Amino acid sequence: IVSNGSFNPFVDSLAYDQNIGQYYGTWNFFNPTYLMDFNARASGPFIKLPAGSTKLTAGIEARLNVQDANYEVGTFPSLPGTNGVPNVSNTPYNQGFQAEKQAVKAVYVEAGIPVVSEKNHVPLVKGLEFQVAGRIEYFKVIVVPDQVNWYPNYAVASTQISHSGVPGRIWYNYSSANPTFGLKYTPADWMVVRGSYAAGYVPPTYNQFGGSVSGLSTGNTAATFDPATGQTYFVPQLLGILGNPNLKPQTSKNWDFGVIIQPQAGLFKDLRISLDYYKLDERGAIFQPTYAQTLSSPSLAYLVPRGANGLVTSYTREYLNAAEENTTGYDLALDYRRKTELGTFNLHVGGTIIEHLKMPYQIGGPLVEYSGFPNSGGAIKTKASGALSWLIGKHWTLGWNTRYWAAYKQQGSPSDPQYNGATTYTPVTTQLLPQGGPSAVNGIWIPSQMYHNIFATYAFGHSPKWHHSLDGVTIQVGINDLFNTAPPFDANSAFAPFFYSPYGSVLLRSYLVKVKKDF
């Protein structure tokens, strides 16, 4: 195309049309889905106690989610120089998943039980209230065994995925009963102590049970270390995604404890500080193992077949149940509002510390720490944000907001989840060497980041001027990344070709103007 002059890559294609549309076919996707939901709820006082009346809430729900038969139709024209041979398909294609459904029926009951209130308060107890709730659910998931080839004319038998050779439907039925308990204790007017426990239950969806696609990609995965061979190399093909008819529901247990401090008088009358500790324990979480996890899990060898030289020839993903994972951490929030003769000032500061995020890296393996390893499938350990706004009169608002992310470790650094908790291992340096080396601080850590934005907003409100044409109009101007802070270098291959941390923007300082009208 370039050599014969039909396309010039060195010009502005917007200013000088290269007519590249002739090399693209039309492709239409039809994915009809339906959701039908019925709810009925009643709430009111139930039993009168010395501290007040209990409040009882009850409800029922019926929900049906349908993914109707979906398909694709499209054609691709031939590429220049191929003598008219179609690139992928020159005939319409219609093959896809059959209709699948998920139905849920639920009964819900909740009671608020006051034990101590202003009516019968005792020393050191201004208020004490319990919450008890329960939810019973019945799930029915209907799956049609399917065999799907994602791209037309890619009907290679070895790449097609089939759950079953028998036609018809497969029915999965589950039920769940989950409680919730809550406590609210008020020792003084300016303090509240709270805690809760809740159990959860998530059944597999019809896509996870039976929604398979094959011929998904012919591109390479990222270069990955293979512990079976000790080599790092590319895999030629991702064949598809397998549903799993043997999936089990995932369950969870969540504990939360916290305190709220809110002075009732003086300079800090409108100050509110909350600190919460949370713990979440999940069993049987449904997920798709990454390619690296699959390589390190002997039980998943069927997803990564190998050639005569021992190297992986292709890769298929599958939905699986994890044995266990848990996370603990802290959430902090501070809000302060102050009215003055110069206007009203509002301050908000919030932050989260993920103390632990533990999951198995290898299927059936031990729990390993993912906190601090966002490039390895985890999360940044600490992040925070702050905002200060100044409301002047009825129309003007000036504001400043800040976002902060703590330093995080590069993939392959010591204690990376891929080492599966081992104290002795061969370092995987694919991402570390471009970063500066596994022994250098800048090779292990991507530094912390902080970005600042400012803005000014004018709200016209409701005014007879200009025949009310500006009623509800708000104009905002602002500067993002005020100090022109560049995001730090991150050599992780997922961020190619620019290799910068995704928490910042390569646009650097940028200016914005927004106009909004409310009707």
Side-chain angles (χ1 to χ4, degrees):
I1 301 174
V2 177
S3 61
N4 64 18
S6 58
F7 175 72
N8 186 351
F10 302 106
V11 301
D12 185 345
S13 59
L14 295 178
Y16 303 96
D17 187 11
Q18 300 291 294
N19 194 25
I20 59 177
Q22 62 181 309
Y23 307 120
Y24 291 90
T26 59
W27 208 262
N28 298 312
F29 296 85
F30 300 89
N31 303 99
T33 59
Y34 308 93
L35 175 62
M36 290 168 278
D37 197 356
F38 169 80
N39 283 275
R41 184 173 179 269
S43 181
F46 186 56
I47 299 176
K48 191 172 183 179
L49 300 175
S53 295
T54 61
K55 184 178 181 181
L56 183 67
T57 301
I60 59 174
E61 179 183 8
R63 185 173 68 252
L64 178 64
N65 190 0
V66 180
Q67 177 176 290
D68 209 343
N70 65 79
Y71 60 95
E72 315 158 21
V73 177
T75 59
F76 280 101
S78 60
L79 289 175
T82 57
N83 299 319
V85 178
N87 180 24
V88 178
S89 175
N90 63 348
T91 57
Y93 167 74
N94 53 9
Q95 169 71 303
F97 303 109
Q98 303 301 310
E100 297 170 314
K101 301 178 181 180
Q102 178 169 282
V104 183
K105 297 178 182 178
V107 178
Y108 172 78
V109 179
E110 177 183 341
I113 306 171
V115 178
V116 179
S117 70
E118 292 291 340
K119 297 180 179 181
N120 65 336
H121 70 273
V122 297
L124 300 180
V125 184
K126 297 285 290 186
L128 179 63
E129 182 179 350
F130 291 95
Q131 178 192 32
V132 180
R135 185 179 181 90
I136 300 175
E137 295 175 296
Y138 297 91
F139 299 89
K140 178 175 291 185
V141 183
I142 304 173
V143 175
V144 177
D146 46 51
Q147 179 170 292
V148 176
N149 217 227
W150 192 253
Y151 290 113
N153 288 359
Y154 198 77
V156 180
S158 62
T159 68
Q160 291 184 348
I161 298 172
S162 177
H163 289 299
S164 170
V166 288
R169 297 180 175 182
I170 299 177
W171 301 64
Y172 299 90
N173 295 286
Y174 297 98
S175 63
S176 170
N178 294 296
T180 298
F181 303 99
L183 164 70
K184 180 181 178 182
Y185 165 51
T186 307
D189 290 334
W190 54 271
M191 176 183 289
V192 174
V193 179
R194 59 188 180 184
S196 66
Y197 164 81
Y201 176 99
V202 180
T205 66
Y206 43 69
N207 284 332
Q208 294 168 339
F209 270 134
S212 299
V213 294
S214 60
L216 187 66
S217 170
T218 56
N220 293 332
T221 65
T224 305
F225 176 75
D226 182 354
T229 63
Q231 301 181 46
T232 299
Y233 57 93
F234 291 93
V235 176
Q237 188 175 68
L238 169 62
L239 292 184
I241 302 174
L242 280 171
N244 185 352
N246 299 313
L247 284 175
K248 304 300 180 183
Q250 66 182 57
T251 60
S252 65
K253 297 180 180 179
N254 185 28
W255 294 264
D256 192 284
F257 305 95
V259 59
I260 300 174
I261 297 175
Q262 193 166 2
Q264 301 297 300
L267 179 63
F268 298 107
K269 178 178 182 297
D270 294 311
L271 173 67
R272 184 182 189 275
I273 301 175
S274 65
L275 176 63
D276 291 278
Y277 168 81
Y278 65 86
K279 179 180 180 181
L280 175 63
D281 184 16
E282 290 191 342
R283 302 294 177 99
I286 299 172
F287 77 116
Q288 285 183 12
T290 65
Y291 175 58
Q293 285 178 303
T294 304
L295 286 178
S296 66
S297 303
S299 62
L300 301 183
Y302 65 95
L303 296 175
V304 282
R306 299 176 181 271
N309 57 2
L311 302 182
V312 174
T313 58
S314 62
Y315 166 41
T316 302
R317 294 178 178 173
E318 185 177 27
Y319 290 101
L320 298 169
N321 288 108
E324 179 186 2
E325 56 187 61
N326 60 68
T327 180
T328 60
Y330 301 88
D331 289 324
L332 172 68
L334 182 151
D335 291 277
Y336 184 56
R337 180 181 179 88
R338 183 71 176 173
K339 291 184 177 180
T340 71
E341 295 180 355
L342 299 176
T344 301
F345 294 87
N346 292 282
L347 173 66
H348 171 76
V349 177
T352 296
I353 299 175
I354 301 177
E355 181 184 30
H356 295 293
L357 176 58
K358 293 189 174 183
M359 300 181 287
Y361 178 78
Q362 184 183 82
I363 304 302
L367 295 180
V368 293
E369 185 64 75
Y370 277 77
S371 178
F373 286 93
N375 287 350
S376 303
I380 286 183
K381 190 176 186 68
T382 303
K383 60 182 179 180
S385 64
L388 176 64
S389 64
W390 177 19
L391 177 61
I392 307 171
K394 296 181 178 179
H395 302 287
W396 282 100
T397 302
L398 305 179
W400 181 301
N401 62 67
T402 299
R403 295 167 298 143
Y404 168 81
W405 285 273
Y408 60 92
K409 287 187 175 183
Q410 182 58 275
Q411 188 175 14
S413 299
S415 71
D416 187 280
Q418 66 184 314
Y419 300 135
N420 206 30
T423 56
T424 303
Y425 54 84
T426 301
V428 179
T429 59
T430 308
Q431 326 294 340
L432 297 180
L433 289 178
Q435 195 79 37
S439 61
V441 173
N442 64 334
I444 295 175
W445 291 92
I446 287 80
S448 61
Q449 305 167 56
M450 184 179 294
Y451 305 98
H452 304 270
N453 306 325
I454 61 172
F455 66 89
T457 301
Y458 185 86
F460 285 90
H462 183 79
S463 172
K465 296 181 179 179
W466 304 98
H467 303 285
H468 294 279
S469 61
L470 295 178
D471 287 3
V473 173
T474 301
I475 298 177
Q476 183 180 93
V477 296
I479 303 175
N480 290 335
D481 196 359
L482 178 65
F483 299 118
N484 210 35
T485 303
F489 173 65
D490 188 334
N492 191 275
S493 59
F495 305 137
F498 302 108
F499 298 104
Y500 65 90
S501 177
Y503 305 100
S505 172
V506 290
L507 295 176
L508 301 180
R509 183 187 295 124
S510 57
Y511 305 88
L512 63 92
V513 177
K514 294 182 179 179
V515 179
K516 182 180 72 171
K517 181 174 177 62
D518 295 324
F519 296 93

